[in-house]
Amino acid sequence: MATIEFSSREKLWSINAGALQYLLKVADDGSLINVHCGGRVGPAETFRLEGHFPFEPGLHLLREEYSTFGGLRFMEPCLKAELPGGIRDCVLKYVGHSITDSRELAVTLGDIGYSLQVELHYRAYPEYNLISRWAIIRNAGQEAVTLEEALSGAVSLPRRSTWRLGYLAGHWAGETRVVEEELKAGKKVLESRRGTTSHQLNPALFLDSGDAVEEDGEVWGCLLAWSGNWKAVAEYASHDQLRLYMGVNDFDFSWHLAPGESFTTPKMVVAYSSEGFGGLSRSLHRFERREVLPKNHADKPRPVIYNTWETLYFNVNEENLKTLAERAAEIGVEIFVVDDGWFRGRNDDRAGLGDWEPDPSKFPRGLGPVIEHVKSLGMKFGIWVEPENVNPNSDLYRRHPDWVYHFPGRPRSEMRNQLVLNLCRSDVREYVFGWLDRLLTENDIGFVKWDMNRNFSEPGWPDAPRERQREIWVRHVLAIYDILDELRRRHPDVVFEGCSGGGGRVDLGAMERYDQFWTSDNTDALDRLYIQEGYTMAYCPKTMGAWVTGVPNFLTNRSLSLEFRFHSAMMGALGVSVNLLELSKQEIEEAKMHIEFYKKVRHIVQDGDLYRLRSPRCGGLAAFQYVTPDKAESLLFLFSLQQGFGERIANVTLRGLDPDFIYELDSSGQTLTGALLMNYGIDPALRGDYKSRIIHFKAKR
Ligand code: DGJ
């Protein structure tokens, strides 16, 4: 079966993306209709609409593929445009289509009156049961057009009696918590108006008919590859037709489309699984590792990092970094990252941002001696930057007060004492790219943590023509994408970590440029179980930065054992930010042992399949399992939560193993078959609260 089939008789396209089948049809009136988005329903040639959808006149528009504000359409528009002559009506009809390299379909639609064209692109990924889609809106006429809303697309769900929406919500230091609710009527809007992806809501949504569970049932996943203002709308359009829209937020947005210009929306990924939320996550993880992550590092293991933040905060200098680096090397760290505080005038968060030279009082000889020392210890050197922001108390701002977003004569609201640089301006972009490029050219740097610690406010761009003022939300994101793309091109060996006060900018668009993310400023190992669980619903563990930090935790005041902290952090890309100078000899030995073990098994975590066996939300015990694609190795992470006396903790039954393989446990000589591990399970054998354990299973050859 071809990945994309076209039936010219039915004017029907079938995009066959593994378990997902996506059917589009040109209706009699020329509008493009979504016929099906879900599990397989059969080949395009034999598929009949009758009985599947009430194809009455007008009603079919409830499933219009790219809805507009125009004619008798009352649902959320994907496209709202002002055409020449002040015409605020846009009606799209089928014009033509093309299929490229047998996997990509582009359907062109055109307005009935003006030469505004919309190309809807669909790329099928049958290996991962998903499609990636986007729209290109082209002004092929002679006059300017204004786009007021230009979403990436809408998904028309099959008819079901109930729909449940799942999403990842939270706040700073509490991102990606799983939330679920039943949709009843009207619209549920999830969005960011903060200029970044946001800590509060993440553009990864899940839909099911209320009965899907972790490893069973139909689940749809929709993710947006965009790192700025976004919007998702789940709407019961009418007649119980549920639609899910995603794209750049239309709030305070407009785009001036001059003749000949086009606007390309971010990509929206639509995934389907009949194997529950776990099945969906595993497909997404594989897709991300193979198709989304930057190619030059996608296959390489994520390094064990030491980050100075929770040890030294702003108080970094040549001497203390050298001492700390020695300890970091001793425990097996691979990259030593100097976080905030290294540049001129930066002793706290009130000054210095923008003045990106090493602070002479902390580094009288520049960064060179520290970098050399770190390298002599066998590690790479990493550095923290926050290129998009500036402290008003900086030489940069004193020189260029007009370089930030602002409305003339009005207050400039500070957040963490900083303002956002206007990257829509080419001079600001050049400056930012210039110092970053110089930093990486003049110093031997192997890792960059790119932070972004505030939301946008007063989004004025005084020099821009009035009709372009509201483009800043999109232009800013495109600017950071361009800067990152060019930096990566020029410095291909550098690993980039994306951070926005923790997980404020985690999305598939960012994942195309960052090799990993700083998941959350919350480093409490217990809170992290919940944050990391939510994170992995959509994003792969390979990208999930997790540190072991000191106790009591600075946020929760909780003191968990070093073992628990390591085990929790080893479920992603491991880092350490504990004050190594304060650890006892015994603790240093323990840290060393954990890191050594992690290096031996990280391929299972980073490139394996994840099974969330038991959610921490169930209480008692949390269990997560990772399995290599060839099923030869597996890791089981167990965490006891609060357990009452006499509470029975069931055996943990594993998943994804080969039933016929014989697995050895922890190189102990003890062996069990895959069948036994999966059907009988094992006793977690954790006594007491907040204990943890990792079991390593290796198939005997
Ligand atoms: C916020 C980040 O999430 C932290 O890890 C740290 O880098 C600080 N910013 C530094 O200011």
Side-chain angles (χ1 to χ4, degrees):
M1 185 208 346
T3 305
I4 296 173
E5 296 173 282
F6 176 57
S7 156
S8 50
R9 184 167 47 94
E10 302 275 343
K11 280 216 184 133
L12 184 79
W13 294 267
S14 174
I15 307 173
N16 304 311
L20 168 70
Q21 190 169 4
Y22 197 88
L23 285 158
L24 292 170
K25 181 178 167 59
V26 179
D28 292 344
D29 63 359
S31 49
L32 184 71
I33 305 301
N34 182 287
V35 174
H36 178 70
C37 169
R40 301 207 52 79
V41 290
E45 270 302 331
T46 57
F47 186 81
R48 292 283 174 274
L49 292 168
E50 292 77 21
H52 293 271
F53 187 75
F55 229 59
E56 298 161 23
L59 259 193
H60 64 296
L61 292 181
L62 295 176
R63 291 184 69 98
E64 193 170 35
E65 182 63 1
Y66 200 71
S67 49
T68 56
F69 177 63
L72 294 173
R73 291 166 181 80
F74 306 102
M75 68 281 246
E76 177 79 20
C78 290
L79 178 67
K80 184 171 188 303
E82 185 175 321
L83 303 176
I87 293 171
R88 300 190 321 282
D89 179 82
C90 181
V91 174
L92 299 174
K93 301 277 158 133
Y94 174 69
V95 175
H97 82 276
S98 64
I99 295 171
T100 1
D101 70 22
S102 75
R103 283 200 163 207
E104 196 170 308
L105 168 68
V107 183
T108 305
L109 310 172
D111 177 58
I112 51 173
Y114 180 75
S115 300
L116 185 74
Q117 295 204 328
V118 177
E119 263 172 41
L120 299 178
H121 288 257
Y122 303 84
R123 188 156 184 91
Y125 292 92
E127 308 85 336
Y128 321 109
N129 311 312
L130 61 83
I131 57 168
S132 170
R133 53 182 295 191
W134 65 99
I136 302 176
I137 301 154
R138 208 180 298 282
N139 182 355
Q142 301 299 319
E143 288 173 74
V145 167
T146 304
L147 306 182
E148 294 173 6
E149 181 159 14
L151 300 181
S152 298
V155 169
S156 301
L157 279 309
R159 293 162 69 78
R160 299 282 189 273
S161 50
T162 318
W163 280 106
R164 175 170 63 174
L165 181 69
Y167 50 96
L168 308 174
H171 48 79
W172 171 76
E175 301 85 336
T176 56
R177 302 281 183 129
V178 182
V179 178
E180 289 170 344
E181 65 188 78
E182 194 184 317
L183 297 169
K184 298 273 190 198
K187 287 181 181 179
K188 169 82 188 177
V189 179
L190 302 166
E191 63 173 3
S192 164
R193 295 181 177 190
R194 294 170 182 264
T196 54
T197 319
S198 100
H199 297 90
Q200 285 70 15
L201 290 164
N202 188 278
L205 272 61
F206 310 94
L207 282 162
D208 77 297
S209 27
D211 51 4
V213 288
E214 183 63 18
E215 295 297 340
D216 194 28
E218 285 193 300
V219 183
W220 287 253
C222 293
L223 288 81
L224 189 72
W226 187 242
S227 312
N229 281 4
W230 58 273
K231 177 168 101 167
V233 181
E235 176 184 33
Y236 271 114
S238 186
H239 292 267
D240 288 338
Q241 177 57 61
L242 185 72
R243 292 167 63 89
L244 186 85
Y245 308 78
M246 277 187 125
V248 165
N249 203 336
D250 59 321
F251 174 78
D252 196 45
F253 161 88
S254 77
W255 194 272
H256 180 76
L257 211 55
E261 285 184 349
S262 60
F263 178 84
T264 303
T265 71
K267 291 186 180 116
M268 172 183 180
V269 166
V270 181
Y272 172 82
S273 167
S274 56
E275 294 164 9
F277 296 96
L280 189 86
S281 302
R282 286 188 290 280
S283 294
L284 288 171
H285 295 173
R286 276 184 231 127
F287 168 68
E288 289 158 3
R289 290 196 305 263
R290 295 190 202 140
E291 312 286 345
V292 182
L293 276 171
K295 290 277 175 290
N296 52 342
H297 296 300
D299 289 338
K300 294 185 193 142
R302 293 294 172 263
V304 177
I305 286 164
Y306 184 85
N307 182 298
T308 55
W309 182 243
E310 282 199 36
T311 299
L312 296 173
Y313 292 98
F314 298 96
N315 179 31
V316 294
N317 58 47
E318 181 179 327
E319 209 181 318
N320 64 18
L321 288 178
K322 280 181 169 174
T323 317
L324 203 49
E326 284 160 21
R327 282 292 169 86
E330 201 183 319
I331 60 168
V333 164
E334 293 162 310
I335 302 201
F336 185 80
V337 183
V338 178
D339 207 280
D340 204 345
W342 61 270
F343 44 94
R344 196 151 49 76
R346 187 67 164 179
N347 296 316
D348 50 43
D349 62 16
R350 289 193 294 273
L353 208 61
D355 298 340
W356 296 102
E357 303 104 42
D359 188 289
S361 65
K362 299 175 178 178
F363 302 96
R365 302 184 293 156
L367 290 174
V370 180
I371 297 182
E372 285 316 309
H373 193 66
V374 166
K375 280 166 54 188
S376 75
L377 295 164
M379 300 181 292
K380 287 188 177 172
F381 180 81
I383 201 155
W384 177 94
V385 295
E386 189 173 356
E388 296 157 75
N389 291 324
V390 64
N391 282 129
N393 187 2
S394 67
D395 287 346
L396 179 71
Y397 187 75
R398 280 184 282 273
R399 268 200 317 273
H400 298 290
D402 51 334
W403 274 16
V404 296
Y405 294 113
H406 68 283
F407 291 114
R410 295 185 66 88
R412 303 172 180 199
S413 302
E414 292 173 24
M415 208 170 146
R416 210 194 186 205
N417 312 301
Q418 57 200 42
L419 299 166
V420 186
L421 286 172
N422 181 349
L423 291 180
C424 303
R425 290 174 59 130
S426 56
D427 50 357
V428 181
R429 278 200 304 277
E430 276 156 29
Y431 166 81
V432 168
F433 176 76
W435 74 258
L436 280 164
D437 187 42
R438 267 195 312 281
L439 181 72
L440 298 182
T441 307
E442 290 167 6
N443 301 286
D444 195 352
I445 289 174
F447 184 97
V448 169
K449 175 177 174 185
W450 178 307
D451 204 347
M452 166 46 161
N453 282 298
R454 68 155 289 170
N455 301 141
F456 290 44
S457 62
E458 296 104 11
W461 176 15
D463 313 313
R466 209 192 156 107
E467 68 275 13
R468 297 235 177 248
Q469 295 274 332
R470 292 170 191 234
E471 296 179 5
I472 75 108
W473 303 109
V474 172
R475 287 186 183 274
H476 186 97
V477 179
L478 296 179
I480 57 164
Y481 284 177
D482 280 353
I483 292 171
L484 277 161
D485 290 345
E486 186 55 18
L487 285 175
R488 293 198 73 101
R489 206 184 57 74
R490 290 203 195 183
H491 308 280
D493 294 337
V494 177
V495 172
F496 283 84
E497 180 176 63
C499 171
S500 180
R505 202 189 251 157
V506 177
D507 58 79
L508 292 185
M511 199 187 278
E512 287 177 26
R513 279 110 192 154
Y514 294 124
D515 305 288
Q516 62 184 66
F517 293 101
W518 179 226
T519 310
S520 176
D521 274 353
N522 186 338
T523 53
D524 178 288
L526 180 63
D527 279 10
R528 270 300 186 108
L529 295 184
Y530 300 83
I531 293 170
Q532 295 179 176
E533 177 195 40
Y535 184 100
T536 64
M537 292 284 289
Y539 306 112
C540 59
K542 186 164 199 164
T543 63
M544 186 172 75
W547 301 343
V548 173
T549 56
V551 286
N553 183 272
F554 82 105
L555 283 171
T556 61
N557 208 28
R558 197 167 10 226
S559 292
L560 294 158
S561 71
L562 192 58
E563 181 175 63
F564 193 102
R565 283 177 277 152
F566 261 102
H567 288 172
S568 168
M570 281 156 79
M571 290 201 295
L574 176 65
V576 177
S577 190
V578 73
N579 189 348
L580 298 172
L581 306 175
E582 284 175 359
L583 292 193
S584 66
K585 240 183 137 55
Q586 199 187 337
E587 286 170 321
I588 287 282
E589 282 310 311
E590 187 183 337
K592 204 165 152 178
M593 183 264 294
H594 287 305
I595 292 176
E596 209 174 287
F597 175 66
Y598 179 75
K599 286 181 184 167
K600 281 195 200 127
V601 297
R602 68 177 143 189
H603 62 283
I604 315 175
V605 170
Q606 295 186 8
D607 298 316
D609 284 329
L610 169 65
Y611 293 85
R612 292 177 294 255
L613 298 182
R614 217 185 129 96
S615 166
R617 288 176 287 153
C618 300
L621 179 92
F624 300 91
Q625 185 202 352
Y626 299 76
V627 186
T628 53
D630 62 1
K631 300 176 188 293
E633 275 188 280
S634 180
L635 280 180
L636 175 63
F637 289 79
L638 298 166
F639 300 91
S640 69
L641 310 175
Q642 258 189 342
Q643 290 178 6
F645 173 71
E647 253 175 44
R648 217 158 34 138
I649 293 292
N651 273 6
V652 176
T653 47
L654 278 72
R655 288 185 174 268
L657 302 176
D658 187 315
D660 299 326
F661 280 6
I662 295 167
Y663 292 91
E664 183 179 359
L665 274 62
D666 288 333
S667 319
S668 63
Q670 190 197 346
T671 55
L672 293 169
T673 62
L676 187 130
L677 288 166
M678 292 194 289
N679 297 324
Y680 182 83
I682 57 167
D683 179 351
L686 282 179
R687 290 204 51 208
D689 296 345
Y690 309 120
K691 298 282 184 277
S692 62
R693 197 179 159 201
I694 301 180
I695 308 175
H696 179 210
F697 302 88
K698 195 164 184 178
K700 284 184 78 123
R701 298 283 178 192

